[in-house]
Amino acid sequence: MSQDAEPHAVAGRVFSRAPGRTLSVAVRAEGTTIWDTDGRAYLDAAGGAVVVNVGHGRRSVAEAVGRQLGEIAYAHGTTFTSEALEAYAAEVGPLLPLEGPAAVYPVSGGSEAIETALKLARAYHIARGEPDRWTVIARWGSYHGNTLGALDLSGRRPLRRPYEAWLGRFRHVSAAYPYRADEPGANALADPAALALELERTILSAGPESVAAFVAEPIVGATLGAVAPDDGYWHAIADVCRRHGVLLIADEVMTGFGRTGTWFGMDHWGVKPDMVVAAKGATSGYWPFGFVAASARVHRTVVEGSGFVHGFTYSHSIGGATVAREVLRIIREEDLVAASASKGQLLRATLQDRLGAHRHVGDVRGRGLMVAVELVADRESKAAFPRERKLTEAIVAAARDAGVLVYSGTGCADGTNGDMVLLGPPFVVTEAELDRIAAGLHAAIDAAIAKVAPEG
Ligand SMILES: Cc1ncc(COP(=O)(O)O)c(C=O)c1O
């Protein structure tokens, strides 16, 4: 292909995340809106990948990090700490669902934070004189990142498939997925007692003395679509973990920082894990950032024990901590966690009104401003459309053409089939914009079904 014929005029040599598609060129963003070079406006109904909690275009974030980088941008984490880092850790710690004082290990994103949590679990058990605790248990219908350790944890088959030969070190138990509980192929249950029993049996069959940690999203994000477990689940799971000396690691990468209407997902049930993993909303997309936070007990055990063999060039970033601190200030001062709770309720009610009786909408669900719509071929049987129809992709494209950006998930029914659209707008979204999101999604669903399943 000649240079002229290449589709990406501006970003021609970028190894695109959407090869083969001509991407718009983003130039500016404010609040809930992104503009491209053609002047088109997009309503960012998913905050990118459910990231932009405080909204786009916050001058104060740019100013804070600009000031900081003008003073000092980098100092290695083994030689220096910084005021920005210390202040951030002190401010965020008390907000975390951990027995404190928590200790915060900052990294560059969610996957790195998950890898760090896995290694920290090992370090903890080694320090306690239990070096045989290697096994980590996660759940089907989950996502924890794309680096190899995090991918191995993730119970998301389409992402695992090309790399399967490199995976297989971790075990998986059923998802807590009430809508598809007990369906063949779904690897899902609803009953908290049954789910806790399954986890306990998995620990016992592995040998309790070999199990290091259980990792799960408090409310499942992009894999199943804003799925909360039935009440009682998290207490039952925490109890099983404690009885067997297994660390409970909450992956709050998507649910953290107000996304589900509470500061952290675990706050819905008042359960305190041993570690919290966060990223995304922590810096709202203004800086690549994430962290694992450990309870005081885990932190003390590791630092007083054999230490922690780990670290990255860009961990403990001064710029990252500065951005995270300013984002935290905005969330607090503008009461954005409460905004997420109330606006989320409104969004779900609006979607229910519009789509609750739609013949191809199986479920509208979520907490706070993490909301999903699951599509089905048949409401009665909950049968999914076959994957070849690519319904989710058609909905996302139709919505984008109409200027509304939504996030997608496929495979929620059985790991391959199953169509779901996830919404996660910035917390500054207005009521009028929530209406536009619901109307835009409704129209996109109808247009996509007319295209890929015209028989209806
Ligand atoms: C729950 C969860 N954990 C981990 C990750 C990985 O984060 P990152 O993409 O920043 O590596 C994600 C990203 O979507 C996520 O949603």
Side-chain angles (χ1 to χ4, degrees):
M1 188 191 276
S2 80
Q3 198 79 10
D4 290 341
E6 291 207 6
H8 308 301
V10 172
R13 296 311 307 151
V14 171
F15 197 139
S16 170
R17 280 200 66 180
R21 248 189 39 226
T22 303
L23 299 180
S24 303
V25 181
V27 281
R28 198 169 75 76
E30 190 78 41
T32 53
T33 307
I34 298 177
W35 286 270
D36 69 12
T37 38
D38 295 330
R40 276 205 74 190
Y42 301 84
L43 176 49
D44 191 7
V50 193
V51 177
V52 191
N53 292 9
V54 301
H56 297 278
R58 294 280 188 166
R59 296 282 163 272
S60 70
V61 179
E63 283 159 14
V65 75
R67 267 194 311 275
Q68 177 61 66
L69 299 189
E71 297 291 327
I72 178 166
Y74 187 85
H76 197 262
T78 57
T79 313
F80 294 102
T81 186
S82 63
E83 285 172 4
L85 261 175
E86 296 296 334
Y88 180 63
E91 285 167 25
V92 78
L95 299 170
L96 299 166
L98 290 169
E99 294 295 349
V104 179
Y105 195 111
V107 293
S108 302
S111 300
E112 267 190 14
I114 286 283
E115 303 286 347
T116 305
L118 292 177
K119 286 189 175 177
L120 190 52
R122 277 292 296 153
Y124 170 80
H125 292 300
I126 291 168
R128 292 183 70 248
E130 295 191 90
D132 292 334
R133 286 191 184 261
W134 281 105
T135 304
V136 179
I137 303 170
R139 301 186 301 190
W140 291 115
S142 66
Y143 181 60
H144 300 290
N146 263 331
T147 52
L148 288 176
L151 182 62
D152 205 355
L153 277 183
S154 303
R156 192 161 173 184
R157 291 193 175 89
L159 300 185
R160 296 174 63 93
R161 241 166 241 140
Y163 308 106
E164 215 43 88
W166 289 336
L167 309 177
R169 283 164 298 195
F170 303 136
R171 294 191 177 214
H172 292 84
V173 292
S174 298
Y177 185 12
Y179 180 66
R180 291 200 178 274
D182 302 313
E183 280 182 15
N187 289 122
L189 299 169
D191 176 29
L195 284 154
L197 186 63
E198 184 195 13
L199 176 61
E200 183 148 32
R201 286 190 173 142
T202 306
I203 293 170
L204 293 173
S205 84
E209 67 294 336
S210 74
V211 183
F214 175 66
V215 186
E217 299 158 80
I219 297 172
V220 181
T223 311
L224 300 180
V227 171
D230 284 347
D231 286 344
Y233 172 78
W234 276 114
H235 281 285
I237 292 293
D239 181 54
V240 170
C241 290
R242 301 247 151 84
R243 278 192 285 109
H244 293 290
V246 172
L247 291 178
L248 177 57
I249 301 175
D251 179 349
E252 299 255 15
V253 168
M254 193 176 277
T255 49
F257 293 94
R259 175 50 63 189
T260 69
T262 50
W263 272 99
F264 289 86
M266 280 298 195
D267 297 337
H268 288 288
W269 298 279
V271 167
K272 292 194 171 178
D274 301 291
M275 289 185 221
V276 167
V277 176
K280 293 191 187 265
T283 46
S284 278
Y286 289 81
W287 195 277
F289 182 81
F291 64 76
V292 55
S295 70
R297 180 173 57 92
V298 169
H299 175 242
R300 193 176 48 243
T301 304
V302 170
V303 297
E304 289 174 2
S306 34
F308 190 28
V309 183
H310 188 58
F312 299 107
T313 299
Y314 289 118
S315 63
H316 299 77
S317 156
I318 298 175
T322 305
V323 170
R325 192 175 176 213
E326 177 57 16
V327 165
L328 191 58
R329 187 195 66 76
I330 292 170
I331 296 175
R332 282 174 131 152
E333 281 192 11
E334 297 183 13
D335 210 5
L336 292 182
V337 179
S340 168
S342 60
K343 291 175 186 181
Q345 225 163 32
L346 184 60
L347 178 57
R348 282 194 307 284
T350 310
L351 288 168
Q352 273 299 355
D353 281 353
R354 279 192 165 273
L355 295 169
H358 193 290
R359 60 191 297 236
H360 293 301
V361 171
D363 200 18
V364 175
R365 58 184 175 238
R367 299 265 175 127
L369 277 172
M370 182 160 132
V371 174
V373 175
E374 182 167 339
L375 289 307
V376 287
D378 179 67
R379 278 165 68 106
E380 190 76 21
S381 66
K382 301 182 184 171
F385 283 102
R387 187 77 289 271
E388 308 81 74
R389 301 281 180 102
K390 293 189 185 300
L391 175 61
T392 301
E393 292 84 338
I395 295 170
V396 171
R400 187 179 56 236
D401 290 348
V404 178
L405 305 177
V406 300
Y407 201 57
S408 62
T410 59
C412 53
D414 59 12
T416 300
N417 304 298
D419 294 282
M420 179 275 294
V421 174
L422 186 60
L423 302 172
F427 305 163
V428 294
V429 67
T430 64
E431 279 188 29
E433 286 170 334
L434 290 176
D435 267 342
R436 271 178 60 208
I437 291 170
L441 181 58
H442 188 171
I445 289 171
D446 285 345
I449 286 171
K451 190 169 165 205
V452 307
E455 74 284 3

